[in-house]
Amino acid sequence: MWGGLARAAAIQGQIEQSGRTRGPNGINVWVSAGVSHLSVKNAPNFPNDSGTPFGGTIGADYHTPSGVVIGAAVFAGDAVQNFSTGGNFEQVDEALSLYAAYQTGPLWGNAVASYDLLQDHVSRQVPLGIFTDQNKGDSSGHDLALALRGGWDFHVGAFTFGPVAGLVLQQVRLNGFRETGTTGMTALSFGAQTRNSAVSQLGVRGSMEIGDWRPFAELTWAHELADRNRTVTASLTSIAAPAYSAAAIPAASDWASVSVGTSYRINARTDLRAAVSATFVNPQMNSYGAGVWLNVGF
């Protein structure tokens, strides 16, 4: 879910940047790369996890004569989250996104729709006295997402600021999988999982034109509207026994996000953007990272 939120935010930030360097044909081509640190706190008696997800995106968009911007982007990323009790979870994903944007006067809005393929690998350790059993498993799935965002810009001299609101809808599906282990005694079989998410966003953003530089900042508050209570079904593979259900990793309910950065106009058709971001005010999740974007107009 966090990958989907970050991917939508990266494209939404690019939409605004592309307006500074759009060429005579109305076409922009752009690339971006980012890395972050993500730590997640699990329920009591279950391992926490932390890691450094990273990824890159390449995209292009077109400013139509009617003023609507339409575009597409391809993303590829990898995240290895290390369990506090040993072992790790790796997720490789590739996503295709289509987006559109429109602005009339101070009112603006955009939409990003994405389909993400997921490939997961789990390496889980289970202590057995002085021996540690090693279990491994592989799964796959997909993530469907729709991000909507809009706002109103006020202009005072070189300053532009105003409110921003958004909604990010996601459904993540993972196929069931069966572990294999060193002894097989602690290996588990997991059922298919579905995670629905609807995150509302409300905040404020601002920027300032200083020659070729354009520093900016944004602060938003997010709230999970969907049901956060979810279970995972598992069963032992070594003996015939009934399956059981346990609570999944707790989903965050509220959090704040801040991003600060600047863009620099290299020339009339080339723009470079860099930003750092962080998520806080959440006891279950902590995230911070940085990204760079290069935009070229034609």
Side-chain angles (χ1 to χ4, degrees), residues 33-44:
V35 62
S36 63
H37 173 81
L38 173 65
S39 59
V40 179
K41 184 178 180 180
N42 209 335

Side-chain angles (χ1 to χ4, degrees), residues 20-217:
R20 303 187 74 213
T21 55
R22 196 168 297 278
N25 297 314
I27 298 174
N28 273 284
V29 177
W30 57 276
V31 295
S32 70
V35 62
S36 63
H37 173 81
L38 173 65
S39 59
V40 179
K41 184 178 180 180
N42 209 335
N45 303 317
F46 288 89
N48 303 325
D49 64 83
S50 63
T52 53
F54 64 91
T57 307
I58 181 170
D61 54 51
Y62 173 63
H63 190 280
T64 67
S66 63
V68 177
V69 175
I70 55 174
V74 177
F75 167 87
D78 182 84
V80 178
Q81 296 291 117
N82 297 306
F83 297 130
S84 57
T85 54
N88 60 64
F89 163 83
E90 181 177 14
Q91 183 169 86
V92 178
D93 63 321
E94 308 88 19
L96 172 65
S97 298
L98 303 176
Y99 59 92
Y102 183 73
Q103 181 166 359
T104 175
L107 179 65
W108 58 270
N110 57 62
V112 182
S114 300
Y115 179 74
D116 190 13
L117 293 174
L118 308 173
Q119 302 92 49
D120 298 340
H121 176 75
V122 178
S123 177
R124 190 173 59 89
Q125 298 180 359
V126 180
L128 294 175
I130 62 173
F131 174 75
T132 300
D133 204 5
Q134 304 283 344
N135 298 301
K136 296 181 179 181
D138 295 287
S139 182
S140 61
H142 65 266
D143 177 4
L144 289 171
L146 175 63
L148 307 173
R149 180 175 161 97
W152 189 279
D153 287 339
F154 297 95
H155 301 280
V156 179
F159 292 94
T160 300
F161 61 93
V164 57
L167 179 67
V168 183
L169 306 174
Q170 288 190 83
Q171 184 181 77
V172 182
R173 291 181 178 268
L174 290 178
N175 299 320
F177 66 97
R178 183 185 180 94
E179 292 180 328
T180 58
T182 306
T183 67
M185 294 175 58
T186 61
L188 296 174
S189 177
F190 294 90
Q193 303 178 50
T194 300
R195 167 81 159 93
N196 294 311
S197 174
V199 175
S200 62
Q201 300 169 326
L202 184 63
V204 62
R205 69 175 189 175
S207 62
M208 181 179 182
E209 298 286 346
I210 309 175
D212 292 328
W213 294 90
R214 185 174 177 271
F216 59 87

